[in-house]
Amino acid sequence: MRKRKAEILPVRIYGDRSLRKIAEPVDKITDEIKDFIANLTFTMYEKDGVGLAAPQVGRLLRIFVVDPFWFNEENEKNPVVLINPKFLEFEGQTQSEEGCLSFPDIYEKVMRAKKVVIEGLNEKGKKVHYEADELFARVLQHEYDHLDGILFIDKMPKLRRMFLKKRLNDLESTTSKDGVNIG
Ligand code: NI
């Protein structure tokens, strides 16, 4: 087993073009991809996130990691990695507050399906299947959207988006369009 020290990857902020691109499926889980996933996971925890998708660090691949409960159960970490994920079912609707590491300090209510069933591959290439509800279901939907260039502001009611317009413009204007974040 290879061992290496995980690194923090710079998280792209709203305004960065990679956040609006459609990510490509992964066709082979190489050692490089495994290292990338380790870094993505490490970055999620270091940034106090409950999910992080590859496009958020500028890598346009259909990969994300989530761990909706690590901050409330004695910080026990159980990362769920999904590669080439696909939703099989959606059920119900629920509204709750969300944030996103690509939108510092913005938290807004977003409507999502209450329960979802998702499948994909884990970092070992093994097929995995999750039935999720509550926060777990919400995070899966939020991260999945990142793979299609969809952001949580797109899911907000128009009026809320209008209220946020100035803050969004400010974020955009301090973000380099391709790469390193200024703000
Ligand atoms: Ni996000």
Side-chain angles (χ1 to χ4, degrees):
M1 182 92 108
R2 298 182 330 141
K3 266 205 177 138
R4 54 182 284 286
K5 206 170 174 292
E7 291 164 31
I8 297 183
L9 305 169
V11 175
R12 308 291 177 97
I13 304 299
Y14 178 63
D16 187 293
R17 288 195 183 99
S18 55
L19 294 174
R20 285 303 193 185
K21 301 242 163 87
I22 295 183
E24 297 283 332
V26 175
D27 45 42
K28 192 164 186 277
I29 304 168
T30 59
D31 284 344
E32 193 277 326
I33 297 269
K34 285 180 194 170
D35 286 348
F36 169 72
I37 291 170
N39 290 340
L40 189 70
T41 307
F42 184 68
T43 304
M44 173 183 76
Y45 289 123
E46 286 295 307
K47 301 280 179 188
D48 287 336
V50 293
L52 190 59
Q56 288 183 277
V57 294
R59 192 90 192 250
L60 296 171
L61 289 175
R62 302 189 80 79
I63 301 174
F64 63 72
V65 58
V66 304
D67 190 348
F69 306 111
W70 71 274
F71 54 87
N72 56 14
E73 284 171 16
E74 297 161 358
N75 289 346
E76 198 193 311
K77 291 174 178 162
N78 294 298
V80 169
V81 173
L82 279 158
I83 301 170
N84 301 341
K86 221 187 228 172
F87 283 110
L88 303 178
E89 280 174 49
F90 294 96
E91 198 187 307
Q93 276 204 317
T94 173
Q95 201 179 34
S96 187
E97 198 164 77
E98 278 182 29
C100 178
L101 292 177
S102 297
F103 292 81
D105 302 321
I106 293 180
Y107 298 90
E108 284 291 333
K109 282 190 172 164
V110 179
M111 189 74 90
R112 299 278 184 190
K114 206 171 184 170
K115 289 184 183 175
V116 295
V117 179
I118 197 168
E119 67 172 25
L121 301 176
N122 70 9
E123 69 280 16
K124 291 171 188 134
K126 194 175 161 255
K127 202 166 181 179
V128 287
H129 178 104
Y130 295 97
E131 289 177 27
D133 62 4
E134 308 288 331
L135 184 59
F136 189 16
R138 177 168 294 276
V139 180
L140 289 172
Q141 293 169 83
H142 178 115
E143 299 311 325
Y144 185 94
D145 276 351
H146 277 300
L147 307 184
D148 287 334
I150 298 169
L151 301 171
F152 80 143
I153 52 168
D154 306 338
K155 306 259 162 166
M156 287 172 197
K158 256 201 189 110
L159 197 62
R160 289 307 308 164
R161 231 174 25 230
M162 272 167 56
F163 276 120
L164 287 173
K165 199 157 179 44
K166 198 192 166 299
R167 287 169 72 192
L168 292 174
N169 287 345
D170 288 350
L171 265 187
E172 247 186 312
S173 66
T174 53
T175 302
S176 131
K177 300 292 171 261
D178 292 296
V180 187
N181 299 311
I182 305 164

